[in-house]
Each structure stands twice: as C-alpha cells, then as structure tokens.
C-alpha cells in the first residue's frame, strides 16, 4: 500500500447564488447545496487499468451523509478515521458520515473509459435524505498495470478492548425536542454549557459508554483526544475492526464504545458531528482529572 499513488478527496457541500457566489454559511439551505470534491465541481481523477490507488476520503460537509459508490468498481476499505482496519472490507457502497474519514483502495477497471463517482440516494430518516449526485469522474486510461493485488490482512489492533473488564460504564442519551419554539438538540436533557462538566473521568480510566439515540434522526457521535472501539450496535455485539473517532447513532438505537482516557488531563468535548445539531446544543464536556 505504501508505494501506491494517493488521492485525497475532500467532499464539501456549498450553496451558490445565481451569480455563482457562495451564500454565507448561516443562510445556506442543505437542499440547495452543490457537492464539491477538493473544491471543484466534478473534477477528473486519472487511474490506469489494473492500477491500485489509495484514496483518502474526507466528509468535510456540515451535515451531509455521503453514500459513496464508484461505477464499475468495488471499494476496498482499509482505514477509518485515520486508523487501519484489521482486514480489507470490500463494499459496493460506503456510507461516510459527516466528519468521518475513510481510506479505500480502488483498482482501475480493465476497460478504459469514464466512470462516475457518485453520492447515491440515501434515505436515512424522515428528515435526513440525500439525492443521487455526481461527485467526480474517474478516467481509466493509459498503459495497463499488471500484478497489483489488493491485500486482505492489514494491521492488527494495538489492543482489542472488547473482551476486557472496564473500570466504569456510563449511559449518555442524545435527543431532539421539537415542540413550541426552536428545536432543541440535547444530550442527557441539556444543551451544552462550556462552564459545566458533564463527565468526570480519571486519567488512565478504561470505560464503556453506551450512547442512546432517543430521536428519529441520525447523529454521528464524535469525541476528541482518544479514539474508541465500537463493541455493540443497538445492543448487539459487533466485531471490532478498527479504532474510530466518529460513528453514527442510528435513530432510536444505540452504540456501545470502549475507550481509554490516556495521556492528557483537562477538558474537551464529545458531540454530534452534524454541525447544525452541535451548534444548537448537542455537545457535552468531559474533564479528565489526575
Ligand atoms: Cu445530531
């Protein structure tokens, strides 16, 4: 993998007015936004037939769930949020939530030509859906490359946290209250207050947090500083295949994560990575104490 050609693809979502000027962020409507890849509308990416490239994908949108698909090509996921997977995951489509990153290997098709990299139709919840939209065009051209093989086994976890005994468990609840007045985006019934500490953790502690979603919307859960491993989704045990720092909370579901609070004392945050939710209160403060 090390010697492969790399492409970094940063996806953003931007609204332009009729003169082609970017609308100020606060006035943008997500349903009028255009997707950009590295700041361009539908750029071209070149690959040779049979060539394997490493693509570093970044969902840098404020609140767009990207279900990614590349015409004629499977995606071989090898990393999540900057962390290697233990083994390659071959998928036809890959959901990249706001704030998450994924590395994939792409092997250029044996037939030269143009292939579309698309955000596919995604129906996440009643309020969260994305249309099918073109993101980039992949041009397969040039001298064929032979002998390149997608590796299956990658890098073992530095530690698998799933079988170990934790120091402490916590339950955290995300909720959206739609009633009179502005919609409230809450964690444990409260909007964020930077002067309040919501979780006090001992330095070095090994904890399991179950994060419940009491709302009908998806919320990409994100915490700063220390990555986590997801050990359960909706109460069902799942195989740990990587460290992560952002993971979607399914509507009316939950994720259970395990993490160690290493190296740093002090305050930092966990929050929904859907920026509208985060900016309207869906964030909490953790303080790590010696
Ligand atoms: Cu949210």
């Amino acid at each position: 993998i090390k010697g492969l050609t790399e492409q970094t693809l940063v996806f953003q979502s931007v609204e332009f007015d009729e003169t082609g000027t970017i609308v100020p962020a606060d006035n943008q409507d997500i349903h009028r936004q255009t997707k950009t890849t590295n700041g361009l509308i539908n750029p071209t990416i070149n690959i040779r037939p049979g060539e394997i490239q490493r693509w570093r994908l970044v969902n840098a949108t404020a609140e767009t769930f990207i279900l990614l698909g590349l015409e004629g090509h499977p995606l071989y996921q090898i990393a999540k949020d900057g962390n290697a997977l233990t083994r390659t995951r071959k998928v036809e489509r890959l959901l990249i939530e706001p704030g998450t990153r994924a590395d994939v290997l792409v092997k250029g098709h044996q037939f030269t030509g143009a292939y579309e990299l698309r955000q596919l139709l995604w129906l996440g919840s009643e309020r969260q859906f994305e249309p099918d939209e073109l993101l980039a065009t992949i041009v397969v051209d040039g001298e064929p490359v032979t002998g390149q093989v997608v590796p299956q086994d990658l890098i073992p976890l530095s530690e698998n946290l799933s079988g170990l005994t934790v120091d402490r468990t916590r339950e955290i609840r995300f909720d959206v209250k739609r009633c009179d007045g502005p919609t409230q985006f809450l964690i444990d019934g409260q909007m964020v207050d930077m002067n309040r500490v919501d979780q006090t953790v001992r330095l070095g502690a090994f904890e399991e947090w179950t994060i419940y979603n009491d709302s009908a919307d998806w919320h990409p859960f994100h915490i700063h500083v220390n990555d986590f491993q997801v050990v359960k989704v909706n109460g069902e045990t799942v195989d740990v295949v990587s460290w992560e720092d952002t993971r979607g909370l399914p509507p009316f579901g939950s994720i259970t994560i395990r993490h160690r609070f290493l190296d740093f004392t002090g305050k930092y945050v966990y929050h929904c990575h859907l920026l509208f939710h985060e900016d309207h209160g869906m964030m909490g403060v953790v303080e790590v104490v010696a």
Side-chain angles (χ1 to χ4, degrees):
I1 293 171
K2 199 177 174 191
L4 299 176
T5 296
E6 290 192 13
Q7 312 273 3
T8 299
L9 304 182
V10 179
F11 303 117
Q12 289 175 290
S13 211
V14 184
E15 182 181 345
F16 299 96
D17 67 16
E18 37 319 322
T19 68
T21 305
I22 292 176
V23 174
D26 287 347
N27 300 336
Q28 292 194 17
D29 176 337
I30 57 166
H31 299 297
R32 288 198 298 263
Q33 289 174 334
T34 302
K35 301 302 173 307
T36 63
T37 301
N38 297 341
L40 302 170
I41 296 172
N42 187 23
T44 297
I45 298 164
N46 294 292
I47 189 169
R48 290 158 65 184
E51 178 193 0
I52 296 176
Q53 293 187 354
R54 177 197 194 134
W55 292 3
R56 299 178 183 269
L57 311 172
V58 182
N59 183 342
T61 70
E63 47 190 319
T64 304
F65 290 75
I66 298 175
L67 182 61
L68 195 75
L70 173 56
E71 189 186 0
H73 297 73
L75 301 171
Y76 299 94
Q77 188 183 5
I78 58 167
K80 166 91 201 296
D81 302 337
N83 299 298
L85 268 54
T86 55
R87 58 183 180 275
T88 300
R89 183 173 161 251
K90 180 184 178 184
V91 291
E92 295 300 323
R93 46 190 61 190
L94 181 65
L95 182 65
I96 313 172
E97 296 142 340
T100 64
R101 292 85 69 214
D103 287 19
V104 296
L105 300 181
V106 172
K107 185 169 189 173
H109 203 284
Q110 59 173 315
F111 298 125
T112 58
Y115 298 86
E116 292 181 338
L117 180 67
R118 300 194 74 92
Q119 168 185 303
L120 303 169
L121 175 71
W122 181 75
L123 302 170
S125 68
E126 208 171 295
R127 283 190 174 74
Q128 294 165 310
F129 45 87
E130 300 295 338
D132 184 289
E133 205 172 326
L134 182 63
L135 297 175
T137 299
I138 313 311
V139 173
V140 180
D141 199 12
E143 204 50 36
V145 175
T146 54
Q148 289 200 337
V149 177
V150 173
Q152 294 307 309
D153 290 326
L154 300 171
I155 300 175
L157 293 167
S158 54
E159 180 183 30
N160 187 328
L161 301 179
S162 59
L164 309 176
T165 304
V166 297
D167 298 324
R168 174 168 178 175
T169 61
R170 296 176 199 248
E171 295 190 345
I172 293 173
R173 308 196 83 95
F174 280 50
D175 201 3
V176 178
K177 286 267 183 291
R178 291 189 170 87
C179 37
D180 297 342
T183 302
Q184 294 184 297
F185 296 90
L186 308 172
I187 297 178
D188 293 325
Q190 303 181 96
M191 288 176 65
V192 65
D193 179 347
M194 296 312 283
N195 297 312
R196 183 184 71 222
V197 172
D198 299 294
Q199 315 293 338
T200 303
V201 180
R202 288 245 154 247
L203 182 65
F206 170 39
E207 299 205 355
E208 177 178 285
W209 291 13
T210 298
I211 302 137
Y212 293 93
N213 179 0
D214 295 329
S215 78
D217 305 323
W218 281 86
H219 304 286
F221 172 84
H222 174 61
I223 186 166
H224 291 192
V225 182
N226 289 290
D227 289 352
F228 55 77
Q229 294 178 1
V230 177
V231 296
K232 287 182 186 171
V233 175
N234 296 334
E236 302 277 335
T237 300
V238 293
D239 279 346
V240 176
V241 294
S242 74
W243 294 89
E244 300 173 63
D245 65 31
T246 308
R247 175 65 87 96
L249 295 176
F252 300 113
S254 67
I255 63 169
T256 301
I257 64 171
R258 290 184 162 204
H259 41 175
R260 293 189 186 278
F261 292 82
L262 303 174
D263 300 330
F264 301 104
T265 56
K267 292 181 185 176
Y268 51 90
V269 294
Y270 54 97
H271 59 88
C272 176
H273 218 300
L274 222 152
L275 298 195
F276 186 86
H277 295 183
E278 173 207 59
D279 292 351
H280 289 78
M282 200 167 246
M283 178 150 63
V285 175
V286 50
E287 181 168 21
V288 179
V289 296

